[in-house]
Amino acid sequence: MGLLAVGGWGWAAGCDNPSADFDYVYCATQLFVQVDKDINAVYRELVGKLNAEGRAVLRTSQLAWIKDRNQQCTRVDATSRSVNLDCATRMTQERTSFLKARIRECNSTGCVISRLR
């Protein structure tokens, strides 16, 4: 069984108070799908502001972050795989905030490649 404690991050439309387990899974999944779309849009925006070196550093950093998120938020044993959607949603929102800060930095003082790591 997956761990799906999602609190304080907002729910998908129609998910104000899911009462059944499968409704909860559906709503938590919808929330994660939205934050995943958000991070991809912000990532693309940042990529558009970077030179080739910056894009390479960002790509390496993003792949390392994805690996870390997946390790922290997934549990695998001999018979099952569980994804903690609360963990994945929280980490994705935090990474999105980090990427947005890099965009603001690029817009104000210029992109600092060392801060993309």
Side-chain angles (χ1 to χ4, degrees):
M1 179 173 170
L3 305 172
L4 300 170
V6 178
W9 298 107
W11 287 99
C15 289
D16 294 332
N17 191 19
S19 57
D21 291 339
F22 285 94
D23 292 340
Y24 188 79
V25 170
Y26 170 81
C27 291
T29 301
Q30 292 305 308
L31 178 58
F32 178 75
V33 166
Q34 183 57 56
V35 298
D36 190 57
K37 286 180 185 177
D38 294 345
I39 196 171
N40 284 306
V42 171
Y43 179 87
R44 283 189 302 273
E45 182 180 349
L46 181 54
V47 165
K49 297 182 177 300
L50 299 171
N51 62 21
E53 179 188 4
R55 288 190 302 270
V57 169
L58 179 62
R59 183 176 189 279
T60 299
S61 172
Q62 192 72 0
L63 291 173
W65 172 80
I66 290 168
K67 182 178 179 182
D68 182 54
R69 181 201 60 196
N70 292 353
Q71 287 176 341
Q72 288 191 43
C73 300
T74 304
R75 185 177 56 220
V76 179
D77 61 36
T79 60
S80 68
R81 176 182 302 259
S82 299
V83 175
N84 181 327
L85 288 174
D86 181 40
C87 174
T89 297
R90 177 184 43 78
M91 287 188 73
T92 302
Q93 289 174 320
E94 290 169 358
R95 181 67 177 185
T96 301
S97 294
F98 170 82
L99 297 175
K100 285 180 178 180
R102 301 296 65 81
I103 290 170
R104 285 190 302 274
E105 186 174 78
C106 287
N107 290 338
S108 64
T109 59
C111 299
V112 180
I113 292 172
S114 63
R115 294 194 50 126
L116 298 172
R117 294 182 172 88

